[in-house]
Amino acid sequence: METEEKVNAVFSLGDFGIRSIIDIVAILILVGLIYYPKHRNKDFIFTFVLFNVINFMICYLLGAAKIKMGFAFGLFAIFSIIKYRTIVVSIKDMGYFFVCVALGMLNSLANISDGFTILMVCNLVILSLTYFLERLNFINNENVKEIIYDDVRLIKPDLRDELIADLTERTGLEIHKVEIVSINYLKDTVLLKAYYYSKESENSLPTVSDND
């Protein structure tokens, strides 16, 4: 009986070690080779790595209680209410945060009855898909800027092409659509929304004060 307990302890330690190596390699590739070269934000690397490692350990140590599925969904519910209120977090950063949490759960709770090959393949698929989507440069973002324009005569519908051409020349942006927000005839100015395409999203996100 004592011999069996020792064997089980060694097996569990080996299982934990292999899973830990897979998870650490995966998270280092994600933040070091995929995220950081594109975004250059050291603070988020700190957050992503810690959340992944801590989540991995929690899931692994508590996953043996035969509540793996419900436990995983419970953790997702907890993390879903996390909200950064000190800074504005982009949707892409939150996507990376989700991937970090998901990798921790996957590597700690996945069934490895057929070996670790499937687990490593799943990690590879997730990392490859993230890398491909991060460098998806052939799809443009439609951005918008508010511009105070000083030539009211060009806001007429029949002069819209001239208005867009003038805005393009002044701003250097390839503007394709313009919306009139308001007109100030006292100052002979008009507030416009100018729409243009670019590789990166430049639209500002709502701040904490906007949500409160």
Side-chain angles (χ1 to χ4, degrees), residues 73-208:
F73 278 111
L75 277 179
F76 271 116
I78 292 173
F79 288 130
S80 67
I81 65 174
I82 294 177
K83 184 178 181 182
Y84 291 89
R85 302 191 62 85
T86 55
I87 58 174
V88 175
V89 180
S90 69
I91 295 175
K92 182 177 287 188
D93 287 330
M94 288 304 297
Y96 273 101
F97 174 77
F98 175 81
V99 173
C100 292
V101 173
L103 283 176
M105 290 183 177
L106 173 68
N107 292 323
S108 60
L109 299 178
N111 190 339
I112 45 89
S113 57
D114 297 328
F116 292 94
T117 302
I118 299 298
L119 181 59
M120 290 187 289
V121 169
C122 290
N123 279 266
L124 182 61
V125 169
I126 293 174
L127 294 174
S128 299
L129 183 61
T130 305
Y131 179 86
F132 173 75
L133 293 175
E134 179 62 80
R135 283 147 181 82
L136 202 64
N137 293 325
F138 56 86
I139 296 180
N140 290 325
N141 292 277
E142 185 180 51
N143 298 305
V144 58
K145 285 187 182 297
E146 288 192 348
I147 299 174
I148 299 177
Y149 190 62
D150 59 358
D151 195 349
V152 180
R153 66 181 182 84
L154 291 182
I155 66 173
K156 297 178 182 179
D158 55 332
L159 298 177
R160 187 56 54 88
D161 291 339
E162 294 183 29
L163 173 62
I164 293 177
D166 187 42
L167 288 171
T168 299
E169 182 181 356
R170 293 192 186 193
T171 62
L173 302 173
E174 294 296 330
I175 297 172
H176 64 275
K177 183 174 67 174
V178 173
E179 291 181 0
I180 298 174
V181 179
S182 62
I183 304 173
N184 189 333
Y185 286 106
L186 295 177
K187 297 182 179 180
D188 285 333
T189 59
V190 57
L191 180 61
L192 302 173
K193 281 187 176 181
Y195 295 84
Y196 60 97
Y197 293 115
S198 67
K199 295 298 183 182
E200 300 293 337
S201 177
E202 300 171 4
N203 296 327
S204 58
L205 294 173
T207 61
V208 175

